[in-house]
Amino acid sequence: MSNAEVWTAVSGGVVGAASAVATFWGGWAARRTRGDRRRDDFTVVTDRMEKEIGRQADRLDELEAAAEVQEQRLEGAGVAITYLIDRVRGLTAWIRSAGLEPPAAPPIPERAREFIHHDV
């Protein structure tokens, strides 16, 4: 073997070894660390949490709007009941002032007694 062939073989071996080291280092540098995976997991979890919190906030807004509507309906029903009670009392008083006796009222249902406090 001549000197040139030896240098060619040695330089080929050195290039092969350098390529192997560069490949190993590149693979090692490109691998994902446990911290990277944890950070990605945290990102996934926080994204899910933000989505769920947004969904819950929308649901809460819907429930608050429905409660507001129900509150307004209850208030209106209370005003209507008060008006009707006053109207019945007025009619009863008018009938009695005419010297007549109004017909007997049917019994008040149990569920209505807690809301109606009068002696009609």
Side-chain angles (χ1 to χ4, degrees), residues 43-62:
T43 303
V44 168
V45 168
T46 54
D47 289 346
R48 282 187 195 164
M49 287 175 61
E50 287 175 3
K51 187 176 180 182
E52 182 63 21
I53 288 170
R55 191 183 73 75
Q56 291 291 336
D58 293 344
R59 179 70 176 137
L60 184 60
D61 291 342
E62 290 172 8

Side-chain angles (χ1 to χ4, degrees), residues 48-108:
R48 282 187 195 164
M49 287 175 61
E50 287 175 3
K51 187 176 180 182
E52 182 63 21
I53 288 170
R55 191 183 73 75
Q56 291 291 336
D58 293 344
R59 179 70 176 137
L60 184 60
D61 291 342
E62 290 172 8
L63 290 173
E64 286 175 346
E68 181 67 28
V69 168
Q70 288 177 350
E71 205 171 288
Q72 290 174 354
R73 289 184 69 197
L74 283 173
E75 184 179 329
V79 169
I81 289 170
T82 302
Y83 167 78
L84 291 173
I85 289 172
D86 288 344
R87 181 72 176 147
V88 168
R89 285 183 178 166
L91 289 173
T92 302
W94 182 79
I95 290 171
R96 286 190 177 140
S97 70
L100 302 170
E101 190 60 33
I108 299 173

